[in-house]
Amino acid sequence: MSHPLYQLQQENRLSCQLAHELVSLIETVPYQQNTLELKCLELLACTQQKNHILIMLMQTTQGVDIKAQRLRQYQLSQRLSLLICHWQQHRELSMLNQHFIPLLQHYLIEAQALEQTFHLQMQ
């Protein structure tokens, strides 16, 4: 496995872990806003790192899958960034359940598909 592909796999696993933790925090202790904010920012940084790795892979590998994944990852990063910014300004607890949870659940589905792609490439 190439180094950027390995990095992408590692970032994908880390971002899944962070997303699961964030969903758990929102569902169990939404009033711990500092913890939520830090976890959101960690996830955002991780998604941005995945964007960077996907760009590196696009430069070395010709494939529609990588371009499509890059586009989805970029859109998710942008949406997450906007939600975090809005939430930092307003601190609405209802926003966590209405917007963050669906976005994170969608993200976890996407990340699982990416992980399956890694396994197929390894075989």
Side-chain angles (χ1 to χ4, degrees), residues 9-19 42-43 46:
Q9 185 179 27
Q10 296 298 70
E11 289 297 328
N12 192 57
R13 289 180 180 163
L14 177 59
S15 66
C16 284
Q17 177 186 344
L18 291 169
E42 282 182 82
L43 180 58
C46 194

Side-chain angles (χ1 to χ4, degrees), residues 48-90:
Q48 290 172 343
Q49 180 63 26
K50 281 175 67 176
N51 283 335
H52 176 71
I53 295 167
L54 285 165
I55 289 170
M56 288 183 350
L57 283 171
M58 284 173 56
Q59 292 171 351
T60 60
T61 307
Q62 296 297 323
V64 176
D65 290 345
I66 293 173
K67 290 180 182 179
Q69 177 63 29
R70 164 69 177 108
L71 180 62
R72 286 192 305 271
Q73 186 63 41
Y74 177 76
Q75 290 170 339
L76 173 99
S77 249
Q78 292 298 87
R79 179 78 176 123
L80 185 60
S81 180
L82 289 172
L83 281 174
I84 291 170
C85 183
H86 180 77
W87 183 73
Q88 285 175 323
Q89 292 173 2
H90 302 286

